Amino acid sequence: MFPQSISRRAFVPAAAGLAAAGCSARAPRAKSPVVILKAPSYSSNLFETMKQGAQLCRLDVRGKRVLLKPNLVEFDGQTCINTHPSVLAAAFELFQYLGAAQVMIGEGPGHRRDTMYLAEAAGYRQAVTGFDRLFVDLNLDDVTARTGFLKDSQIFLPNTALSADLIVSLPKMKTHHWAGVTLSMKNFFGLVPGAVYGWPKNPLHYAGIPKSIVELNRIFRRTFAIVDGVVGMEGNGPIQGTPKLCGVLVMGADLVAVDSTCCRIMGVDPSKVEFLRLAAKPDTDLGNLEELQIDQRGEAIGVVRKPFGLIREFAGLRLS
Amino acid sequence: MQAKAWAFTRRYFTWMSLSTQALFAGFLLSHQNKDGGWGFAPGRASWLEPTYYAMLALDGVPAHAKALDRAWNRIRSWQLPGGGCRPTDAVDQPGWTTALWIQLHCRRKVFDGKFHDALFWLTQARGDEGKLWRRLLHPFLKPEEGYLPERYGWSWFPETNSWVEPTVHSLLAMQSSLSHAEPLPRLMANTLKERVALGQHMLLDRRCDDGGWNYGSKTALRVPLPSYPETTAIALLGLQQASASDRQAACSKASQFHQQAESPLARAWLQLALRVHGETIAPAPDPTPAEGHPLLASLQMLGAQDGNFHLMRIDSRNS
């Protein structure tokens, strides 16, 4: 379903090069800093909390074009599907404060076509001054083909995301009825344009959700994550679950390490989550999954751990 | 430059106290790209979908003829060698917008070789669940309720499942072709009729428990899904030849959504679909074109009382 973009003739030397590269010794990956900070409610000073997190991560975004990517899926006033507007507003303020040349906000929801309505309903337009000017509907953005998706295929991606110097994933900490959990890596499904692939983005499901998550994260490597774990969602997420008060923000540049840390907070074993296992495999090497490879800063996991309810299909993911 | 032109147009039309239709037409004409198409936002690349809706919205007014001819040339340029159509220049893969391309050809009564290539492409396209191996495996895969693989429709993108919206547009394309592109070879006409029947069954099978439509499934992991207003509106467009009771039930749900929906895009699609079915729309203040949203403006213009909603009605002569 994703078009092939490499000829057999081109494949042979490319494969030989990859094999040669694979023979060389791989340098051990340095520990990845991941910051856990308490954020008891959305009325707490999230900007100051994030500022502290950015300092602990030694985040430098001066002069960069930053794209904030919240998780805006669907609106239901009775539950907590989307990244909270206070988290988005605080992140926007943070990256301006840190000296980014430009801070934009972009999202391509997988379930509804009227993205601006969702942004209004979710409170984003009220939370961020000048939202309409800053926001790009990634479902309808102009696109460019990129090769390298699923190794030999091409994928069409929004120009706004491709041209950003840094994409900041701002997911909600949630369970997911197909992937087990949805965090900063899965949030990149919203970078895939609905105008090409539809609503929902079914080719990603066909290619395999775990594989698609990994491939998108392989394409978008200049990233940072701030996970909204103040109130997450447990059970039948990402839409029909129930709110779960967790009281944390989790931040870091290694999205595999951030998501693995979130899993541990949620009482989920990250090594049993397929997309994280794939992402941390030596031949993929997107980031660190093991606790020993993560430089945990801020709060200890044990202090903030709040096991999330899991649906029967994912009961086996429970951290023992 | 375009923004300035639109600001001028808005002032001009307001001063002239012309109809809402003229106001919307001014908005659309001022946002037409130089290449003849429309983008999803002003100044962005042209895409087939917003160009399709803008062309229908502007149809029938002699003063728009020049703009429509430019748009028509743009539309024609999006067909790929295999007959299917790309959604925009940057994408070199055919997909669901082929159905929109065919509908515009029916409207213009252009039934040349390119039209037949596109129609053939559409008959070959199908939701992946319609493939034989999927149908054989289906009973062993814990199927979702209402998901009958032998009753498939069309996908957004090749080699994926059937979904409501591409299925509806493909139904409209095939029904329009049967009505207008006479004489179709008998084999082709029979294929179209067969696919129309299958597609309508698919739509009805996948209606949610609340009477409307989600994007393509009524359950996920056997948990019922809620319907959405815009998908319900689009499904209604595809049910023009369904039974009276099915149409009535769908119109009733769409009317309920129309009274409650806060999304302007959903309201515009609902209004259009309800008018196509001859339903009475509760009076509401005339909308004004949303800045930066040509697709929404086209839908609002099409669904207005004096809009071109009738262009989306299917003539049932041959289908």
Side-chain angles (χ1 to χ4, degrees):
Chain A
M1 78 231 44
F2 289 102
Q4 305 292 301
S5 64
I6 188 165
S7 66
R8 253 180 240 168
R9 191 170 293 177
F11 175 75
V12 175
L18 283 171
C23 291
S24 62
R26 187 187 298 279
R29 186 179 259 282
K31 276 190 166 191
S32 302
V34 174
V35 177
I36 304 171
L37 295 163
K38 282 188 178 171
S41 78
Y42 290 113
S43 55
S44 61
N45 193 336
L46 295 175
F47 169 70
E48 283 300 328
T49 309
M50 285 183 193
K51 198 167 92 177
Q52 188 191 345
Q55 284 162 355
L56 287 168
C57 290
R58 297 193 179 87
L59 180 62
D60 182 3
V61 297
R62 283 171 296 177
K64 290 184 177 172
R65 284 168 301 160
V66 173
L67 176 67
L68 303 182
K69 163 66 181 70
N71 187 215
L72 179 64
V73 187
E74 162 66 273
F75 180 72
D76 178 351
Q78 306 301 309
T79 185
C80 59
I81 296 167
N82 307 308
T83 305
H84 196 277
S86 307
V87 172
L88 176 65
F92 181 72
E93 194 183 346
L94 174 74
F95 285 92
Q96 283 190 315
Y97 168 82
L98 293 174
Q102 188 184 16
V103 186
M104 298 186 74
I105 302 166
E107 169 63 310
H111 289 239
R112 296 294 297 270
R113 289 200 63 162
D114 197 341
T115 308
M116 288 311 280
Y117 153 71
L118 279 185
E120 169 82 30
Y124 290 1
R125 290 174 94 174
Q126 298 89 325
V128 179
T129 309
F131 180 85
D132 290 6
R133 188 173 35 83
L134 303 165
F135 184 77
V136 177
D137 183 347
L138 299 177
N139 276 333
L140 307 181
D141 198 17
D142 293 342
V143 297
T144 299
R146 287 297 295 264
T147 52
F149 188 85
L150 295 171
K151 291 187 181 158
D152 56 355
S153 298
Q154 66 177 1
I155 185 170
F156 303 98
L157 291 167
N159 292 343
T160 302
L162 290 171
S163 63
D165 297 321
L166 183 74
I167 299 181
V168 181
S169 185
L170 296 171
K172 190 86 168 164
M173 187 182 281
K174 293 190 289 191
T175 51
H176 190 284
H177 60 193
W178 305 123
V181 293
T182 172
L183 296 158
S184 66
M185 294 178 72
K186 167 74 173 63
N187 191 28
F188 281 6
F189 269 32
L191 298 176
V192 175
V196 179
Y197 296 107
W199 287 260
K201 296 153 189 184
N202 199 209
L204 300 178
H205 303 148
Y206 258 74
I209 291 176
K211 268 189 196 168
S212 296
I213 295 172
V214 168
E215 292 301 299
L216 286 169
N217 279 268
R218 203 208 294 264
I219 291 172
F220 294 104
R221 297 301 296 269
R222 294 170 299 195
T223 53
F224 191 79
I226 305 175
V227 181
D228 171 6
V230 180
V231 179
M233 179 181 275
E234 65 179 357
N236 187 21
I239 292 172
Q240 294 175 297
T242 50
K244 173 80 173 179
L245 182 63
C246 198
V248 291
L249 293 177
V250 183
M251 300 171 66
D254 176 345
L255 270 52
V256 180
V258 168
D259 285 4
S260 299
T261 299
C262 289
C263 283
R264 293 185 178 101
I265 292 170
M266 298 163 81
V268 168
D269 184 346
S271 67
K272 293 178 183 167
V273 176
E274 195 179 346
F275 73 83
L276 288 172
R277 207 173 52 233
L278 283 176
K281 272 172 62 176
D283 58 340
T284 316
D285 200 26
L286 285 179
N288 290 328
L289 179 147
E290 297 298 334
E291 223 165 342
L292 286 172
Q293 296 172 310
I294 298 173
D295 177 7
Q296 214 79 66
R297 300 174 185 178
E299 302 294 334
I301 291 173
V303 174
V304 295
R305 178 171 290 146
K306 295 267 171 64
F308 279 42
L310 303 172
I311 56 172
R312 189 164 42 90
E313 285 80 352
F314 287 108
L317 299 186
R318 182 66 73 201
L319 195 61
S320 54
Chain B
M1 188 64 192
Q2 281 178 322
K4 277 184 187 170
W6 163 235
F8 170 79
T9 310
R10 186 164 51 178
R11 275 200 300 275
Y12 173 76
F13 281 118
T14 306
W15 175 69
M16 292 290 284
S17 298
L18 290 182
S19 73
T20 306
Q21 285 290 300
L23 185 69
F24 276 84
F27 173 84
L28 287 176
L29 292 170
S30 68
H31 286 102
Q32 185 176 24
N33 286 335
K34 281 184 182 161
D35 65 13
W38 278 264
F40 282 109
R44 310 301 279 272
S46 296
W47 288 69
L48 205 156
E49 186 188 17
T51 303
Y52 160 82
Y53 282 112
M55 286 182 74
L56 290 183
L58 293 169
D59 196 291
V61 178
H64 304 159
K66 214 170 168 183
L68 288 172
D69 285 345
R70 287 172 54 220
W72 172 250
N73 290 333
R74 194 74 189 95
I75 284 285
R76 293 277 283 181
S77 76
W78 277 315
Q79 189 177 37
L80 292 164
C85 301
R86 58 172 79 194
T88 185
D89 283 350
V91 178
D92 58 2
Q93 293 294 306
W96 70 281
T97 49
T98 305
L100 308 180
W101 191 95
I102 291 171
Q103 289 176 55
L104 287 170
H105 279 65
C106 290
R107 174 67 194 143
R108 286 221 157 198
K109 301 200 185 316
V110 175
F111 304 117
D112 58 1
K114 286 185 165 194
F115 167 81
H116 287 282
D117 288 347
L119 198 55
F120 181 73
W121 185 92
L122 199 64
T123 60
Q124 298 303 298
R126 62 170 63 180
D128 207 48
E129 72 272 43
K131 286 183 178 167
L132 182 63
W133 69 270
R134 287 280 306 271
R135 284 190 257 171
L136 292 173
L137 276 181
H138 179 72
F140 308 103
L141 296 176
K142 293 185 183 173
E144 297 288 349
E145 191 189 340
Y147 194 88
L148 304 172
E150 65 274 22
R151 305 213 301 205
Y152 51 83
W154 285 263
S155 61
W156 294 96
F157 202 73
E159 294 176 50
T160 54
N161 271 341
S162 309
W163 297 89
V164 168
E165 193 168 336
T167 295
V168 166
H169 285 300
S170 300
L171 287 176
L172 293 176
M174 288 196 167
Q175 288 166 322
S176 299
S177 302
L178 284 165
S179 298
H180 300 294
E182 296 177 276
L184 287 175
R186 182 183 289 183
L187 186 61
M188 173 62 89
N190 288 342
T191 303
L192 297 192
K193 286 175 185 172
E194 193 182 312
R195 291 299 305 271
V196 166
L198 276 176
Q200 281 190 342
H201 280 309
M202 186 218 106
L203 289 179
L204 292 169
D205 289 343
R206 301 194 190 179
R207 179 160 41 184
C208 296
D209 291 348
D210 65 14
W213 279 263
N214 195 285
Y215 275 94
S217 301
K218 57 188 294 188
T219 61
L221 289 177
R222 289 155 298 284
V223 176
L225 293 171
S227 59
Y228 296 129
E230 52 270 43
T231 342
T232 299
I234 292 164
L236 189 52
L237 287 171
L239 292 177
Q240 293 179 49
Q241 293 175 347
S243 71
S245 61
D246 284 330
R247 277 185 283 126
Q248 200 171 10
C251 284
S252 168
K253 183 64 185 173
S255 296
Q256 187 190 334
F257 267 138
H258 187 251
Q259 286 162 23
Q260 297 166 349
E262 291 172 9
S263 152
L265 195 63
R267 283 182 61 80
W269 250 312
L270 285 160
Q271 183 150 324
L272 171 61
L274 287 165
R275 284 213 197 278
V276 164
H277 280 265
E279 294 288 312
T280 309
I281 308 287
D286 285 337
T288 51
E291 206 57 69
H293 206 328
L295 175 64
L296 174 59
S298 300
L299 287 167
Q300 287 172 325
M301 191 174 165
L302 266 173
Q305 196 168 5
D306 51 354
N308 282 337
F309 55 87
H310 57 89
L311 296 181
M312 299 197 80
R313 281 194 180 135
I314 298 302
D315 176 350
S316 59
R317 274 180 300 154
N318 285 332
S319 43

